[in-house]
């Protein structure tokens, strides 16, 4: 397998900020979690239901009280991120009906599902809906598509994840899974990024998903299809998983263990990300994630390869594939919010294609 990122010259050591970037917007974790849940017993759903209450708190609110200077530094860093102050954008070009771009969180949280002012109306009026992958319309079909490439989701050489972990890390994994009602044996042959898709989500999110709740992108696609609209995908789920597979297994194994080590703090991180998302301040997401790292290390170089392969490379593909669809006008496009900001984000890439892209206040 040839990686899109040359890692031969340096070792990739994942930090919590990398792990949490994955949680925030890398792939539709909610769908991957659903695919995992379909392969294990119903006791997982029951266990999740028992822990359905969302218990996270906003880390930045606490930080503002305990360390105002650090809080101010994080927000100032977020302010420097290009196009980091909105999740909803209008896309225009002369001679075309306007289209719309919504940054999403791949979660079932009712607050996220409500969308910002004007988005629901734009979605309803659009002729075509664009999502990251139109395979989210049918989870069973998506699962079958992934089965065609088992190496992306499973160890196909007969090994298990325990083979790649120390005894101590294996014990951490087993304990972490047990807390979520998942026996290690049920997921032992899964690739670490598949297991991470479950353990990285708060119990309340797993509970909603186990009950059949749709995450935002999925709901938009399903509602559009039911209304007889065109639903277009920019990539396949296999493409998304291939991006994960292009990074070393060692990276994902360490990321999985670090996610488990965050424990209940993961609930706080997701709550903080959600609050930033709802306020439209997505530029502050990455600075916030750095302070959530267990070791307190914010070494940017440690997650550069991850960000390049999972976010930036995919931004280019999304922009290229979206262009001919947007050319028809009256499109509603919804992709993970962290694909929007930055000088290599979708907002800037669409502008380079000749579109005028402005934040909707």
């Amino acid at each position: 397998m040839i990686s899109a990122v040359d890692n031969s010259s340096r070792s990739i050591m994942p930090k919590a900020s990398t792990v949490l970037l994955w949680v925030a917007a890398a792939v539709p974790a909610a769908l991957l979690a659903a695919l995992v849940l379909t392969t294990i017993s119903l006791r997982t759903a029951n266990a999740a239901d028992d822990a359905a209450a969302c218990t996270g708190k906003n880390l930045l609110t606490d930080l503002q009280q305990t360390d105002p200077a650090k809080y101010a530094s994080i927000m100032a860093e977020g302010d420097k991120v290009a196009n980091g102050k909105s999740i909803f954008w209008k896309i225009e070009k002369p001679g075309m009906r306007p289209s719309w771009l919504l940054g999403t969180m791949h979660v079932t949280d009712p607050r996220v599902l409500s969308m910002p002012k004007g988005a629901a109306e734009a979605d309803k009026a659009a002729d075509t809906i664009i999502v990251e992958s139109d395979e989210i319309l049918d989870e069973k079909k998506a699962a079958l598509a992934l089965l065609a490439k088992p190496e992306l989701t499973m160890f196909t050489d007969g090994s298990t994840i325990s083979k790649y972990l120390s005894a101590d890390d294996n014990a951490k994994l087993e304990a972490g899974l047990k807390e979520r009602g998942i026996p290690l044996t049920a997921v032992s042959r899964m690739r670490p990024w598949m297991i991470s898709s479950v353990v990285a989500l708060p119990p309340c999110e797993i509970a909603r998903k186990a009950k059949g709740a749709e995450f935002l992108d999925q709901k938009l696609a399903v509602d559009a299809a039911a209304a007889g609209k065109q639903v277009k995908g920019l990539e396949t789920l296999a493409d998304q998983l291939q991006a994960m597979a292009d990074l070393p297994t060692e990276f994902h194994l360490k990321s999985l263990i670090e996610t488990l080590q965050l424990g209940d703090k993961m609930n706080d991180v997701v709550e903080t990300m959600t609050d930033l998302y709802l306020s439209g301040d997505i530029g502050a997401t990455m600075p916030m994630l750095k302070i959530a790292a267990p070791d307190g290390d914010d070494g940017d170089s440690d997650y550069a390869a991850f960000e390049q392969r999972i976010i930036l490379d995919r931004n280019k593909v999304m922009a290229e594939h979206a262009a001919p669809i947007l050319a028809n006008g009256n499109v509603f496009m919804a992709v993970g919010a962290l694909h929007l900001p930055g000088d290599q984000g979708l907002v800037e890439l669409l502008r380079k294609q000749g579109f005028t892209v402005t934040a909707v206040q």
Side-chain angles (χ1 to χ4, degrees), residues 149-163:
K149 292 188 175 183
E151 70 279 5
L152 296 180
T153 58
M154 309 287 288
F155 291 111
T156 56
D157 59 359
S159 63
T160 67
I161 194 165
S162 296
K163 172 185 175 181

Side-chain angles (χ1 to χ4, degrees), residues 56-300:
K57 61 182 180 181
N58 190 316
L59 295 171
L60 291 177
T61 300
D62 284 354
L63 188 65
Q64 189 175 17
Q65 299 298 319
T66 60
D67 193 340
K70 191 168 187 177
Y71 170 82
S73 175
I74 289 171
M75 302 311 292
E77 186 176 349
D79 289 343
K80 296 176 183 177
V81 177
N83 310 312
K85 291 294 185 180
S86 179
I87 59 170
F88 188 37
W89 300 78
K90 188 175 185 179
I91 304 172
E92 299 174 284
K93 184 179 282 189
M96 292 169 40
R97 290 179 294 174
S99 293
W100 310 87
L101 172 63
L102 175 68
T104 68
M105 285 186 73
H106 306 308
V107 295
T108 62
D109 190 321
R111 295 172 296 172
V112 171
L113 294 177
S114 67
M115 297 193 290
K117 182 178 180 181
E121 293 78 6
D123 170 47
K124 184 177 181 180
D127 295 327
T128 302
I129 306 300
I130 296 177
V131 289
E132 291 181 22
S133 172
D134 58 10
E135 291 170 314
I136 61 178
L137 284 167
D138 188 334
E139 289 181 0
K140 291 182 179 179
K141 184 178 178 180
L144 289 174
L146 292 179
L147 285 175
K149 292 188 175 183
E151 70 279 5
L152 296 180
T153 58
M154 309 287 288
F155 291 111
T156 56
D157 59 359
S159 63
T160 67
I161 194 165
S162 296
K163 172 185 175 181
Y164 300 91
L165 296 172
S166 67
D168 183 52
D169 283 346
N170 194 65
K172 291 176 183 176
L173 175 59
E174 188 166 12
L177 290 171
K178 186 177 181 180
E179 290 178 3
R180 294 161 174 80
I182 305 172
L184 176 59
T185 54
V187 298
S188 63
R189 296 191 181 278
M190 290 183 180
R191 295 282 183 180
W193 50 88
M194 293 294 288
I195 302 175
S196 291
S197 68
V198 173
V199 302
L201 294 174
C204 59
E205 179 67 25
I206 296 177
R208 289 191 295 258
K209 196 68 201 77
K211 290 180 178 180
E214 297 167 334
F215 59 95
L216 177 55
D217 315 59
Q218 188 178 32
K219 186 177 189 304
L220 290 169
V222 169
D223 289 352
K229 297 182 179 183
Q230 291 189 84
V231 178
K232 300 286 188 178
L234 301 176
E235 55 189 359
T236 67
L237 292 175
D239 291 335
Q240 295 174 336
L241 283 173
Q242 184 63 62
M244 300 298 287
D246 283 346
L247 294 171
T249 298
E250 175 70 8
F251 174 94
H252 292 295
L253 291 169
K254 291 182 178 180
S255 296
L256 173 58
I257 298 303
E258 287 187 358
T259 301
L260 291 168
Q261 288 176 328
L262 281 170
D264 291 340
K265 191 175 182 180
M266 179 61 77
N267 298 336
D268 299 335
V269 170
V270 174
E271 180 64 21
T272 309
M273 286 193 297
T274 302
D275 285 347
L276 287 173
Y277 173 83
L278 294 174
S279 68
D281 199 359
I282 53 174
T285 302
M286 284 308 301
M288 179 279 295
L289 293 180
K290 294 173 188 177
I291 64 101
D295 58 8
D297 187 355
D298 65 354
D300 291 350

Side-chain angles (χ1 to χ4, degrees), residues 4-15:
V5 181
D6 180 5
N7 300 313
S8 60
S9 62
R10 63 186 179 93
S11 172
I12 299 179
M13 298 295 291
K15 299 296 179 185

